[in-house]
Amino acid sequence: MKRAACILFAALWLAPGASGYHSSGYRWPVQTITYASDVSAYVWSADAAAYAWNTSGARVQFVRTAPAGAQVRIGVRWYKRFGGEAHVEHAGPRITSAFVGIQSGLDRYQVALVLAHELGHVLGLGHEDGVCATMNSVLIVDHESHCAPPPRGMWVCRLLRTDDVRGAVSLYGGTVRPFRGPEFCPR
């Protein structure tokens, strides 16, 4: 009886939570995805978001390229609310391209967080509001709605959370890598 209880506890502890990552119902057809920013001020942020996904442990890579050949284009959109959006184009079930629009007026740290979120949509991840995740449906200026805000003068330099990476690994294979370094960095 004691052994059965321990096995049940271990299975429940190791299983993903009921409020874990969500899929949008599709995945990008290849594991290397090219991107380009139409806004020079967003290049650092786009590279930071791509690096976060590239080093996450999921078998998917974002590679910066010239705008004309990019599968994912990053540009400015005028919004009345904070954040951005990803528009993924489909030809039947096959994804052909994506455009990520970011609200103007954000600093590069906010843009990096928004882009990490929007690139998650490009990968096929949906919103997740049950745990602290980059894929939370609401970003509050400098952090995800279900995550702790950074201390004053800091930014969320850990752009992805474990739940986000588990979702990408479920779609593309790989292994969730442990995070190294601090959660918050000085601006």
Side-chain angles (χ1 to χ4, degrees):
M1 178 69 172
K2 197 179 224 182
R3 183 169 188 244
C6 288
I7 291 171
L8 177 62
F9 173 76
L12 292 173
W13 183 73
L14 293 173
S19 60
Y21 62 85
H22 293 281
S23 171
S24 294
Y26 64 85
R27 67 184 291 281
W28 202 272
V30 295
Q31 292 177 303
T32 300
I33 305 165
T34 59
Y35 71 94
S37 177
D38 295 336
V39 182
S40 61
Y42 289 170
V43 170
W44 180 89
S45 302
D47 289 348
Y51 179 79
W53 283 111
N54 291 351
T55 59
S56 69
R59 288 191 193 117
V60 65
Q61 294 288 302
F62 287 97
V63 177
R64 184 165 27 122
T65 190
Q71 295 164 307
V72 177
R73 300 282 301 268
I74 299 166
V76 175
R77 289 280 196 235
W78 300 100
Y79 299 106
K80 293 182 180 182
R81 61 180 176 78
F82 176 80
E85 62 186 4
H87 294 284
V88 180
E89 300 294 323
H90 298 266
R94 184 172 167 79
I95 300 169
T96 56
S97 65
F99 177 81
V100 174
I102 304 295
Q103 174 189 4
S104 64
L106 303 179
D107 68 30
R108 71 183 192 156
Y109 308 107
Q110 294 167 323
V111 171
L113 185 59
V114 170
L115 282 175
H117 173 94
E118 298 305 335
L119 290 178
H121 285 312
V122 167
L123 291 175
L125 296 177
H127 286 140
E128 169 51 55
D129 287 323
V131 297
C132 171
T134 301
M135 296 309 297
N136 287 162
S137 62
V138 176
L139 297 175
I140 304 172
V141 182
D142 60 358
H143 68 284
E144 304 89 341
S145 60
H146 295 285
C147 303
R152 187 173 183 89
M154 306 284 273
W155 69 289
V156 177
C157 56
R158 186 177 298 160
L159 295 177
L160 300 178
R161 307 298 178 140
T162 302
D163 189 70
D164 307 306
V165 178
R166 278 195 351 229
V169 165
S170 76
L171 292 171
Y172 297 92
T175 305
V176 178
R177 293 185 182 151
F179 289 107
R180 294 196 171 101
E183 181 175 0
F184 305 115
C185 299
R187 286 183 173 253

